[in-house]
Amino acid sequence: MTAPVASQVLAFPPASAGQTADYMLHKLSFHADAWDVAEDLRNGITALVVIDTRSESLYAQGHVPGAISFPHRLMDAQSTAALDRSKVYVTYCDGIGCNGSTKGAYKLAKLGFTVKEMLGGLDFWVRDGQPVATGSAPGAMPADAPAIECAC
């Protein structure tokens, strides 16, 4: 007779349903995904500003339409003085292997701005099939860009 296999998942007991709901709500307050950001840009939501935290040269090669180029390395009290504090800033970088968006979000939050980080960065944006702008101008989400169905 073979001994029962111990569960790797249940080796640490799960939180209660209430604790999980609280944690997930808390987690959602820090992040947005590419689809949510695209929908807000497509719908002309003006309460948020998308920030590409990568270098200006990477931004020019391709960025989220409407995003402003603001490398995290340049963020400080002086360089952010003109930003509108009533907006929510959504930072992104290359993808999950890059922490530029985290550094940018940290710096902005430390300076008193409301921030969310876009999960997966430009990599997940492209994987979702969203349009990409090139050049040094922010551009805008194309009015005729088809809404991409979220499959989750």
Side-chain angles (χ1 to χ4, degrees), residues 9-76:
V9 172
L10 300 176
F12 299 93
S16 71
Q19 289 171 316
T20 299
D22 289 346
Y23 173 76
M24 294 302 165
L25 178 61
H26 189 68
K27 187 174 174 179
L28 287 168
S29 69
F30 292 103
H31 299 107
D33 68 9
W35 187 87
D36 290 340
V37 172
E39 283 297 295
D40 279 4
L41 292 174
R42 197 173 274 108
N43 291 315
I45 303 299
T46 60
L48 59 90
V49 175
V50 181
I51 295 181
D52 187 316
T53 63
R54 304 171 304 149
S55 70
E56 292 167 345
S57 63
L58 286 175
Y59 175 86
Q61 291 174 29
H63 58 271
V64 169
I68 62 170
S69 176
F70 197 171
H72 70 86
R73 286 175 167 66
L74 303 179
M75 292 177 182
D76 60 26

Side-chain angles (χ1 to χ4, degrees), residues 96-152:
I96 61 171
C98 175
N99 66 4
S101 60
T102 305
K103 289 176 181 178
Y106 169 75
K107 289 177 180 180
L108 290 171
K110 192 89 165 138
L111 292 165
F113 294 93
T114 305
V115 185
K116 284 192 171 198
E117 185 177 21
M118 186 172 83
L119 296 171
L122 190 61
D123 178 36
F124 283 21
W125 179 269
V126 171
R127 286 185 194 198
D128 277 0
Q130 303 296 349
V132 174
T134 57
S136 59
M141 188 65 131
D144 61 349
I148 296 173
E149 186 176 333
C150 182
C152 57

